[in-house]
Amino acid sequence: MSILLSPDIRTVILLLFAGNLLAIVMLSAYRRKEGLELAYRRYIAGKIFQALAWMLIGARGTIPDWLSADVGNGSLYVGFAFEGLAFVLLERREKKFTRLYAAVTITGIFLFSMFSTTPALRVALSSASVGSITAMTAILMLYSIQASRLRVLVACFYIAFSIMLACRVAYAVLYPNQISVFQNGPIQAFTYLMTFAFTLVGGAGFLLLLKEQSDDALAIAVNELQIRETLLTNIFNTSSVAIFLANDDGYISMANQRMAEMFGRTIDSLIGSPYLDCVAEAQKDEAHDQLQKLLSSEISFLKLEREYSRPDGSHFWGQLTATHMHDGQKVGHQLVGVIADITDLKLAEVNMRKMAHHDPLTGLANRALFSDRLQQAMMVAKRDQTRFALLYIDLDKFKLVNDSFGHQVGDKLLQEVALRISRCVRDSDIVARVGGDEFVVLLRSVNTTENALLVAEKVRISHAKNFKIEEHDLAISCSIGVAMYPDDGTSETELSAKSDEAMYKAKHGGRDQVQFATITTTNNSL
């Protein structure tokens, strides 16, 4: 009994670390249903941050105090925020919830970093922040579209945990000399063990809610398949996805209004036409083979993404789910297909891939993509015994614009700068934004410094004309550093360092000029 009332706190923290790792493993093995991916990722992220937090907090005394206390507690707040947001996102997708959790978390991190001057204050502020997040989660879970019994039960446990943390805050305020993070005692033991239980219950609750969501969706799907012809007709007329039936020759025998709208045709023109007429030309052969396999019972189910065409020549992406069923006499069979328009999803996937390699503000390549292209250029240049130039561009007086007119004007100015730089180079060259007002340009197959200088001066001169941003007439310039491969370096690090040094030469030399890593050239050189 004494061990339970006063365990070694570091041991309990180790249990918390292990508990979060266990939750991560359990969730990683869970096969979640499509559509719940966002909530699933948020919960995994929350557990990762919590595991990191307990690892840092548990290492108190062996690592710097700011790392254990500030970063550790900050990670804890972020972890609980992600976890709470995951429960909310199981039903709702409003961005306001994300902003709300972010605001509470940032406030907690700020207060802890500013006012946690004593062990008791650390305990109080940490408990208050986590308690606020969990209480907010409980309220949002109860304020639910469909607050199931399971959801209410999980929310009640969150409320109990929040109350316990509130009591801990009160104890830390009333008895500041009797509590600290690693001080043994019933209060601390109960707090950490309750947190451990909360970790297990929260993980189990989230898995059960995921299953509940999946079971509900499955029940709806099964119910729809059992609906008779009269009800099927009503679904056809009101469904937000395209639904059609095709005979054993692949000709459409029934279609709903949504399919007519999706394909830009009338229902009468769809009925009696081959399903393959709806498929984009490039995919017709593959679609024909899959259709024959489905109709011949070689395969019983088909789910894939496919490009479709309309009579006006436009295309869209659809997710096809298809199966076959026997007719009333069990002689022939019909194809049952559902097509959901996923064009927006495809565009989002493209945008996500683009965001991973491009600057979201200017659309230029980011540092990662530029690094990859630079390494490729070095390999080609080494193989072909050619040269190329690397330009490092830094805007002059940009900070003054931001300070004077605000970041909104500054962002629009950066977008205009990106356009001007891009117009000065060839399509085969690479322009990237690598910092706030810093840009780099890779000039492929530039074998002489003279050619590199021509392009650099073209970029510099392009900034001589004032920028018209909203109602402001802005005058800025740029300082450019140039490094040549292989003269100034044969590695990415060397070239980047040399071009950066050359850019600072231009800055210190009066700005609005071009400087080479090995050759100095001013703005009057042309």
Side-chain angles (χ1 to χ4, degrees), residues 243-296:
I243 305 174
F244 70 95
L245 276 70
N247 61 25
D248 53 5
D249 292 322
Y251 284 79
I252 297 173
S253 59
M254 192 173 184
N256 68 343
Q257 182 62 34
R258 177 56 184 148
M259 185 171 184
E261 296 170 354
M262 192 179 292
F263 284 88
R265 298 170 62 177
T266 63
I267 294 180
D268 290 340
S269 68
L270 282 170
I271 296 176
S273 67
Y275 160 74
L276 292 177
D277 284 355
C278 300
V279 180
E281 192 67 33
Q283 299 190 16
K284 279 190 176 180
D285 290 340
E286 178 187 2
H288 177 269
D289 293 340
Q290 292 168 332
L291 179 63
Q292 292 304 313
K293 290 179 180 179
L294 190 61
L295 291 174
S296 64

Short mmCIF file of all heavy atoms in Angstrom, two decimals, residues 243-296:
data_model
loop_
_atom_site.label_atom_id
_atom_site.label_comp_id
_atom_site.label_asym_id
_atom_site.label_seq_id
_atom_site.Cartn_x
_atom_site.Cartn_y
_atom_site.Cartn_z
N ILE A 243 -24.60 6.56 -59.18
CA ILE A 243 -24.91 5.15 -59.02
C ILE A 243 -25.48 4.64 -60.34
O ILE A 243 -26.35 5.29 -60.94
CB ILE A 243 -25.92 4.90 -57.89
CG1 ILE A 243 -25.40 5.52 -56.57
CG2 ILE A 243 -26.19 3.42 -57.71
CD1 ILE A 243 -26.41 5.45 -55.44
N PHE A 244 -25.00 3.50 -60.80
CA PHE A 244 -25.51 2.96 -62.05
C PHE A 244 -25.51 1.44 -62.00
O PHE A 244 -24.78 0.81 -61.22
CB PHE A 244 -24.69 3.46 -63.24
CG PHE A 244 -23.29 2.89 -63.30
CD1 PHE A 244 -23.01 1.77 -64.07
CD2 PHE A 244 -22.25 3.48 -62.59
CE1 PHE A 244 -21.73 1.24 -64.12
CE2 PHE A 244 -20.97 2.96 -62.63
CZ PHE A 244 -20.71 1.83 -63.40
N LEU A 245 -26.34 0.85 -62.87
CA LEU A 245 -26.36 -0.58 -63.09
C LEU A 245 -26.04 -0.83 -64.56
O LEU A 245 -26.48 -0.06 -65.43
CB LEU A 245 -27.71 -1.19 -62.75
CG LEU A 245 -27.99 -1.56 -61.28
CD1 LEU A 245 -28.14 -0.29 -60.45
CD2 LEU A 245 -29.24 -2.42 -61.17
N ALA A 246 -25.28 -1.89 -64.83
CA ALA A 246 -24.97 -2.26 -66.21
C ALA A 246 -25.26 -3.74 -66.41
O ALA A 246 -25.07 -4.55 -65.49
CB ALA A 246 -23.51 -1.95 -66.53
N ASN A 247 -25.70 -4.11 -67.61
CA ASN A 247 -26.00 -5.52 -67.87
C ASN A 247 -24.73 -6.30 -68.15
O ASN A 247 -23.62 -5.75 -68.10
CB ASN A 247 -27.01 -5.65 -69.02
CG ASN A 247 -26.47 -5.05 -70.32
OD1 ASN A 247 -25.26 -4.96 -70.52
ND2 ASN A 247 -27.38 -4.66 -71.20
N ASP A 248 -24.90 -7.60 -68.47
CA ASP A 248 -23.73 -8.45 -68.62
C ASP A 248 -22.94 -8.15 -69.89
O ASP A 248 -21.88 -8.76 -70.11
CB ASP A 248 -24.11 -9.94 -68.56
CG ASP A 248 -25.21 -10.28 -69.56
OD1 ASP A 248 -25.60 -9.39 -70.35
OD2 ASP A 248 -25.68 -11.43 -69.55
N ASP A 249 -23.44 -7.23 -70.72
CA ASP A 249 -22.67 -6.78 -71.89
C ASP A 249 -21.95 -5.46 -71.62
O ASP A 249 -21.28 -4.92 -72.51
CB ASP A 249 -23.59 -6.61 -73.10
CG ASP A 249 -24.14 -7.94 -73.59
OD1 ASP A 249 -23.37 -8.93 -73.56
OD2 ASP A 249 -25.32 -8.00 -73.97
N GLY A 250 -22.11 -4.93 -70.40
CA GLY A 250 -21.44 -3.68 -70.06
C GLY A 250 -22.20 -2.44 -70.44
O GLY A 250 -21.65 -1.32 -70.40
N TYR A 251 -23.50 -2.57 -70.80
CA TYR A 251 -24.32 -1.41 -71.17
C TYR A 251 -25.10 -0.94 -69.94
O TYR A 251 -25.65 -1.75 -69.19
CB TYR A 251 -25.28 -1.75 -72.30
CG TYR A 251 -24.61 -1.82 -73.65
CD1 TYR A 251 -23.89 -2.94 -74.03
CD2 TYR A 251 -24.69 -0.74 -74.54
CE1 TYR A 251 -23.26 -3.01 -75.26
CE2 TYR A 251 -24.07 -0.80 -75.78
CZ TYR A 251 -23.35 -1.93 -76.13
OH TYR A 251 -22.72 -1.98 -77.35
N ILE A 252 -25.15 0.37 -69.76
CA ILE A 252 -25.83 0.94 -68.60
C ILE A 252 -27.33 0.74 -68.73
O ILE A 252 -27.95 1.12 -69.74
CB ILE A 252 -25.51 2.44 -68.47
CG1 ILE A 252 -24.00 2.64 -68.23
CG2 ILE A 252 -26.30 3.07 -67.32
CD1 ILE A 252 -23.56 4.10 -68.25
N SER A 253 -27.93 0.14 -67.70
CA SER A 253 -29.37 -0.11 -67.70
C SER A 253 -30.12 0.81 -66.75
O SER A 253 -31.35 0.91 -66.84
CB SER A 253 -29.65 -1.57 -67.34
OG SER A 253 -29.11 -1.87 -66.05
N MET A 254 -29.39 1.44 -65.84
CA MET A 254 -30.04 2.33 -64.88
C MET A 254 -29.00 3.31 -64.37
O MET A 254 -27.85 2.95 -64.14
CB MET A 254 -30.63 1.53 -63.72
CG MET A 254 -31.57 2.30 -62.82
SD MET A 254 -32.38 1.20 -61.62
CE MET A 254 -33.48 2.36 -60.81
N ALA A 255 -29.38 4.58 -64.20
CA ALA A 255 -28.46 5.61 -63.72
C ALA A 255 -29.23 6.65 -62.94
O ALA A 255 -30.41 6.89 -63.22
CB ALA A 255 -27.71 6.26 -64.88
N ASN A 256 -28.59 7.28 -61.97
CA ASN A 256 -29.28 8.30 -61.18
C ASN A 256 -28.97 9.70 -61.71
O ASN A 256 -28.13 9.89 -62.60
CB ASN A 256 -28.93 8.19 -59.69
CG ASN A 256 -27.48 8.55 -59.41
OD1 ASN A 256 -26.65 8.60 -60.30
ND2 ASN A 256 -27.18 8.80 -58.14
N GLN A 257 -29.68 10.68 -61.15
CA GLN A 257 -29.54 12.05 -61.62
C GLN A 257 -28.14 12.59 -61.37
O GLN A 257 -27.59 13.35 -62.18
CB GLN A 257 -30.57 12.95 -60.91
CG GLN A 257 -30.54 14.41 -61.35
CD GLN A 257 -30.87 14.58 -62.82
OE1 GLN A 257 -31.68 13.83 -63.37
NE2 GLN A 257 -30.22 15.54 -63.48
N ARG A 258 -27.51 12.18 -60.27
CA ARG A 258 -26.16 12.66 -59.97
C ARG A 258 -25.17 12.21 -61.03
O ARG A 258 -24.25 12.96 -61.38
CB ARG A 258 -25.74 12.14 -58.59
CG ARG A 258 -24.32 12.53 -58.19
CD ARG A 258 -24.11 14.01 -58.24
NE ARG A 258 -22.73 14.38 -57.95
CZ ARG A 258 -22.09 15.41 -58.46
NH1 ARG A 258 -22.72 16.22 -59.31
NH2 ARG A 258 -20.85 15.67 -58.16
N MET A 259 -25.36 11.00 -61.56
CA MET A 259 -24.46 10.53 -62.62
C MET A 259 -24.63 11.38 -63.88
O MET A 259 -23.66 11.72 -64.55
CB MET A 259 -24.74 9.06 -62.94
CG MET A 259 -23.75 8.48 -63.94
SD MET A 259 -23.92 6.70 -64.12
CE MET A 259 -22.54 6.37 -65.24
N ALA A 260 -25.88 11.72 -64.18
CA ALA A 260 -26.12 12.58 -65.34
C ALA A 260 -25.43 13.93 -65.17
O ALA A 260 -24.80 14.46 -66.09
CB ALA A 260 -27.62 12.77 -65.55
N GLU A 261 -25.53 14.51 -63.97
CA GLU A 261 -24.88 15.79 -63.70
C GLU A 261 -23.36 15.65 -63.75
O GLU A 261 -22.67 16.52 -64.29
CB GLU A 261 -25.32 16.30 -62.32
CG GLU A 261 -26.80 16.61 -62.23
CD GLU A 261 -27.24 16.88 -60.80
OE1 GLU A 261 -26.39 16.72 -59.89
OE2 GLU A 261 -28.42 17.24 -60.59
N MET A 262 -22.85 14.56 -63.18
CA MET A 262 -21.41 14.37 -63.12
C MET A 262 -20.79 14.24 -64.51
O MET A 262 -19.70 14.77 -64.78
CB MET A 262 -21.10 13.12 -62.28
CG MET A 262 -19.65 12.96 -61.89
SD MET A 262 -19.41 11.46 -60.88
CE MET A 262 -20.27 11.92 -59.37
N PHE A 263 -21.51 13.57 -65.42
CA PHE A 263 -20.97 13.34 -66.75
C PHE A 263 -21.48 14.33 -67.78
O PHE A 263 -21.13 14.23 -68.97
CB PHE A 263 -21.30 11.92 -67.20
CG PHE A 263 -20.46 10.87 -66.55
CD1 PHE A 263 -20.83 10.32 -65.34
CD2 PHE A 263 -19.26 10.46 -67.11
CE1 PHE A 263 -20.04 9.36 -64.70
CE2 PHE A 263 -18.47 9.50 -66.50
CZ PHE A 263 -18.86 8.95 -65.29
N GLY A 264 -22.30 15.30 -67.37
CA GLY A 264 -22.78 16.31 -68.31
C GLY A 264 -23.68 15.73 -69.39
O GLY A 264 -23.66 16.18 -70.53
N ARG A 265 -24.48 14.73 -69.03
CA ARG A 265 -25.37 14.08 -69.99
C ARG A 265 -26.76 13.95 -69.36
O ARG A 265 -26.95 14.20 -68.17
CB ARG A 265 -24.84 12.70 -70.38
CG ARG A 265 -23.49 12.74 -71.07
CD ARG A 265 -22.87 11.36 -71.22
NE ARG A 265 -23.68 10.47 -72.03
CZ ARG A 265 -23.32 9.23 -72.37
NH1 ARG A 265 -22.16 8.73 -71.93
NH2 ARG A 265 -24.12 8.48 -73.11
N THR A 266 -27.73 13.52 -70.16
CA THR A 266 -29.05 13.25 -69.63
C THR A 266 -29.12 11.77 -69.25
O THR A 266 -28.34 10.94 -69.73
CB THR A 266 -30.14 13.55 -70.67
OG1 THR A 266 -29.96 12.67 -71.79
CG2 THR A 266 -30.04 15.01 -71.13
N ILE A 267 -30.08 11.46 -68.38
CA ILE A 267 -30.24 10.06 -67.97
C ILE A 267 -30.60 9.19 -69.17
O ILE A 267 -30.11 8.07 -69.32
CB ILE A 267 -31.30 9.95 -66.87
CG1 ILE A 267 -30.82 10.65 -65.59
CG2 ILE A 267 -31.64 8.48 -66.58
CD1 ILE A 267 -31.82 10.60 -64.45
N ASP A 268 -31.44 9.72 -70.06
CA ASP A 268 -31.85 8.95 -71.23
C ASP A 268 -30.66 8.62 -72.13
O ASP A 268 -30.60 7.53 -72.72
CB ASP A 268 -32.90 9.74 -72.03
CG ASP A 268 -34.23 9.83 -71.29
OD1 ASP A 268 -34.46 8.99 -70.40
OD2 ASP A 268 -35.03 10.74 -71.61
N SER A 269 -29.71 9.57 -72.25
CA SER A 269 -28.55 9.29 -73.10
C SER A 269 -27.59 8.31 -72.44
O SER A 269 -26.84 7.60 -73.13
CB SER A 269 -27.83 10.60 -73.44
OG SER A 269 -27.22 11.15 -72.27
N LEU A 270 -27.59 8.24 -71.10
CA LEU A 270 -26.73 7.29 -70.40
C LEU A 270 -27.27 5.87 -70.51
O LEU A 270 -26.52 4.92 -70.76
CB LEU A 270 -26.62 7.68 -68.92
CG LEU A 270 -25.68 8.84 -68.58
CD1 LEU A 270 -25.88 9.25 -67.12
CD2 LEU A 270 -24.23 8.45 -68.83
N ILE A 271 -28.59 5.72 -70.32
CA ILE A 271 -29.19 4.39 -70.35
C ILE A 271 -29.10 3.83 -71.77
O ILE A 271 -29.49 4.47 -72.75
CB ILE A 271 -30.66 4.44 -69.88
CG1 ILE A 271 -30.71 4.87 -68.41
CG2 ILE A 271 -31.35 3.09 -70.08
CD1 ILE A 271 -32.11 5.05 -67.87
N GLY A 272 -28.55 2.64 -71.87
CA GLY A 272 -28.38 1.99 -73.17
C GLY A 272 -27.02 2.23 -73.80
O GLY A 272 -26.69 1.61 -74.81
N SER A 273 -26.21 3.11 -73.18
CA SER A 273 -24.87 3.37 -73.71
C SER A 273 -23.84 2.52 -72.97
O SER A 273 -24.06 2.15 -71.82
CB SER A 273 -24.52 4.85 -73.56
OG SER A 273 -24.40 5.19 -72.18
N PRO A 274 -22.71 2.18 -73.63
CA PRO A 274 -21.68 1.38 -72.94
C PRO A 274 -21.04 2.17 -71.80
O PRO A 274 -20.77 3.37 -71.94
CB PRO A 274 -20.66 1.09 -74.06
CG PRO A 274 -21.37 1.38 -75.33
CD PRO A 274 -22.37 2.45 -75.03
N TYR A 275 -20.81 1.50 -70.70
CA TYR A 275 -20.12 2.15 -69.58
C TYR A 275 -18.75 2.67 -70.02
O TYR A 275 -18.29 3.73 -69.59
CB TYR A 275 -19.96 1.16 -68.42
CG TYR A 275 -18.87 1.54 -67.45
CD1 TYR A 275 -19.04 2.59 -66.55
CD2 TYR A 275 -17.65 0.86 -67.44
CE1 TYR A 275 -18.04 2.96 -65.67
CE2 TYR A 275 -16.64 1.22 -66.56
CZ TYR A 275 -16.83 2.26 -65.69
OH TYR A 275 -15.82 2.62 -64.82
N LEU A 276 -18.08 1.94 -70.92
CA LEU A 276 -16.73 2.32 -71.36
C LEU A 276 -16.72 3.66 -72.07
O LEU A 276 -15.68 4.31 -72.16
CB LEU A 276 -16.15 1.24 -72.27
CG LEU A 276 -15.83 -0.10 -71.60
CD1 LEU A 276 -15.34 -1.11 -72.62
CD2 LEU A 276 -14.81 0.10 -70.49
N ASP A 277 -17.89 4.12 -72.60
CA ASP A 277 -17.94 5.44 -73.23
C ASP A 277 -17.67 6.56 -72.24
O ASP A 277 -17.31 7.67 -72.62
CB ASP A 277 -19.31 5.66 -73.89
CG ASP A 277 -19.45 4.88 -75.19
OD1 ASP A 277 -18.44 4.26 -75.62
OD2 ASP A 277 -20.55 4.90 -75.78
N CYS A 278 -17.87 6.27 -70.94
CA CYS A 278 -17.66 7.29 -69.91
C CYS A 278 -16.20 7.40 -69.48
O CYS A 278 -15.81 8.37 -68.83
CB CYS A 278 -18.52 6.98 -68.68
SG CYS A 278 -20.29 6.93 -68.99
N VAL A 279 -15.41 6.38 -69.82
CA VAL A 279 -14.03 6.32 -69.36
C VAL A 279 -13.13 7.12 -70.30
O VAL A 279 -13.35 7.14 -71.52
CB VAL A 279 -13.54 4.86 -69.28
CG1 VAL A 279 -12.10 4.78 -68.80
CG2 VAL A 279 -14.46 4.06 -68.36
N ALA A 280 -12.14 7.79 -69.74
CA ALA A 280 -11.18 8.55 -70.55
C ALA A 280 -10.48 7.61 -71.53
O ALA A 280 -10.23 6.44 -71.23
CB ALA A 280 -10.16 9.24 -69.67
N GLU A 281 -10.17 8.13 -72.72
CA GLU A 281 -9.63 7.31 -73.80
C GLU A 281 -8.37 6.55 -73.37
O GLU A 281 -8.20 5.38 -73.72
CB GLU A 281 -9.30 8.21 -75.00
CG GLU A 281 -8.99 7.46 -76.28
CD GLU A 281 -10.19 6.71 -76.83
OE1 GLU A 281 -11.33 7.20 -76.67
OE2 GLU A 281 -9.99 5.62 -77.40
N ALA A 282 -7.51 7.20 -72.62
CA ALA A 282 -6.23 6.57 -72.24
C ALA A 282 -6.41 5.37 -71.33
O ALA A 282 -5.50 4.53 -71.22
CB ALA A 282 -5.33 7.60 -71.57
N GLN A 283 -7.56 5.24 -70.68
CA GLN A 283 -7.77 4.16 -69.73
C GLN A 283 -8.82 3.13 -70.18
O GLN A 283 -9.18 2.24 -69.43
CB GLN A 283 -8.18 4.73 -68.37
CG GLN A 283 -7.14 5.63 -67.74
CD GLN A 283 -7.47 5.99 -66.30
OE1 GLN A 283 -8.29 5.37 -65.67
NE2 GLN A 283 -6.81 7.01 -65.79
N LYS A 284 -9.26 3.26 -71.43
CA LYS A 284 -10.35 2.39 -71.88
C LYS A 284 -9.94 0.92 -71.97
O LYS A 284 -10.70 0.03 -71.61
CB LYS A 284 -10.89 2.87 -73.23
CG LYS A 284 -11.87 4.03 -73.11
CD LYS A 284 -12.56 4.33 -74.42
CE LYS A 284 -13.60 5.45 -74.21
NZ LYS A 284 -14.31 5.78 -75.46
N ASP A 285 -8.73 0.66 -72.45
CA ASP A 285 -8.30 -0.74 -72.58
C ASP A 285 -8.24 -1.41 -71.21
O ASP A 285 -8.72 -2.54 -71.03
CB ASP A 285 -6.92 -0.80 -73.26
CG ASP A 285 -7.00 -0.40 -74.73
OD1 ASP A 285 -8.11 -0.45 -75.30
OD2 ASP A 285 -5.95 -0.02 -75.30
N GLU A 286 -7.65 -0.73 -70.26
CA GLU A 286 -7.56 -1.28 -68.90
C GLU A 286 -8.95 -1.45 -68.30
O GLU A 286 -9.25 -2.47 -67.66
CB GLU A 286 -6.72 -0.36 -68.02
CG GLU A 286 -6.60 -0.83 -66.58
CD GLU A 286 -5.89 0.18 -65.69
OE1 GLU A 286 -5.53 1.27 -66.19
OE2 GLU A 286 -5.73 -0.12 -64.50
N ALA A 287 -9.82 -0.46 -68.52
CA ALA A 287 -11.18 -0.54 -67.98
C ALA A 287 -11.95 -1.69 -68.61
O ALA A 287 -12.73 -2.37 -67.93
CB ALA A 287 -11.91 0.78 -68.23
N HIS A 288 -11.73 -1.93 -69.90
CA HIS A 288 -12.41 -3.04 -70.57
C HIS A 288 -12.01 -4.38 -69.95
O HIS A 288 -12.85 -5.24 -69.69
CB HIS A 288 -12.08 -3.01 -72.06
CG HIS A 288 -12.67 -4.16 -72.83
ND1 HIS A 288 -11.99 -5.36 -73.02
CD2 HIS A 288 -13.89 -4.32 -73.43
CE1 HIS A 288 -12.75 -6.18 -73.70
NE2 HIS A 288 -13.91 -5.58 -73.97
N ASP A 289 -10.70 -4.56 -69.71
CA ASP A 289 -10.23 -5.82 -69.12
C ASP A 289 -10.81 -6.02 -67.73
O ASP A 289 -11.25 -7.13 -67.38
CB ASP A 289 -8.70 -5.81 -69.05
CG ASP A 289 -8.05 -5.83 -70.43
OD1 ASP A 289 -8.74 -6.22 -71.39
OD2 ASP A 289 -6.88 -5.44 -70.53
N GLN A 290 -10.83 -4.97 -66.91
CA GLN A 290 -11.35 -5.09 -65.55
C GLN A 290 -12.85 -5.34 -65.55
O GLN A 290 -13.37 -6.11 -64.73
CB GLN A 290 -11.02 -3.82 -64.75
CG GLN A 290 -9.54 -3.66 -64.48
CD GLN A 290 -9.20 -2.28 -63.95
OE1 GLN A 290 -9.90 -1.31 -64.25
NE2 GLN A 290 -8.12 -2.19 -63.19
N LEU A 291 -13.57 -4.72 -66.50
CA LEU A 291 -15.01 -4.93 -66.61
C LEU A 291 -15.32 -6.38 -66.96
O LEU A 291 -16.23 -7.00 -66.38
CB LEU A 291 -15.59 -3.98 -67.65
CG LEU A 291 -17.10 -4.07 -67.91
CD1 LEU A 291 -17.87 -3.69 -66.65
CD2 LEU A 291 -17.51 -3.15 -69.06
N GLN A 292 -14.55 -6.96 -67.89
CA GLN A 292 -14.78 -8.35 -68.28
C GLN A 292 -14.50 -9.31 -67.13
O GLN A 292 -15.21 -10.29 -66.93
CB GLN A 292 -13.90 -8.69 -69.49
CG GLN A 292 -14.29 -7.96 -70.76
CD GLN A 292 -15.75 -8.19 -71.14
OE1 GLN A 292 -16.25 -9.31 -71.14
NE2 GLN A 292 -16.46 -7.09 -71.44
N LYS A 293 -13.44 -9.02 -66.36
CA LYS A 293 -13.13 -9.88 -65.21
C LYS A 293 -14.24 -9.83 -64.17
O LYS A 293 -14.59 -10.84 -63.55
CB LYS A 293 -11.81 -9.44 -64.57
CG LYS A 293 -10.57 -9.74 -65.41
CD LYS A 293 -9.32 -9.25 -64.71
CE LYS A 293 -8.08 -9.53 -65.54
NZ LYS A 293 -6.85 -9.03 -64.89
N LEU A 294 -14.81 -8.64 -63.98
CA LEU A 294 -15.88 -8.50 -63.00
C LEU A 294 -17.15 -9.19 -63.46
O LEU A 294 -17.80 -9.90 -62.70
CB LEU A 294 -16.14 -7.01 -62.75
CG LEU A 294 -17.05 -6.64 -61.59
CD1 LEU A 294 -16.48 -7.14 -60.27
CD2 LEU A 294 -17.27 -5.13 -61.53
N LEU A 295 -17.51 -9.00 -64.74
CA LEU A 295 -18.74 -9.59 -65.26
C LEU A 295 -18.63 -11.11 -65.39
O LEU A 295 -19.64 -11.82 -65.32
CB LEU A 295 -19.08 -8.97 -66.62
CG LEU A 295 -19.50 -7.49 -66.57
CD1 LEU A 295 -19.66 -6.94 -67.98
CD2 LEU A 295 -20.79 -7.31 -65.78
N SER A 296 -17.41 -11.63 -65.57
CA SER A 296 -17.23 -13.08 -65.70
C SER A 296 -16.98 -13.75 -64.35
O SER A 296 -16.67 -14.94 -64.30
CB SER A 296 -16.06 -13.37 -66.63
OG SER A 296 -14.85 -12.87 -66.07
#
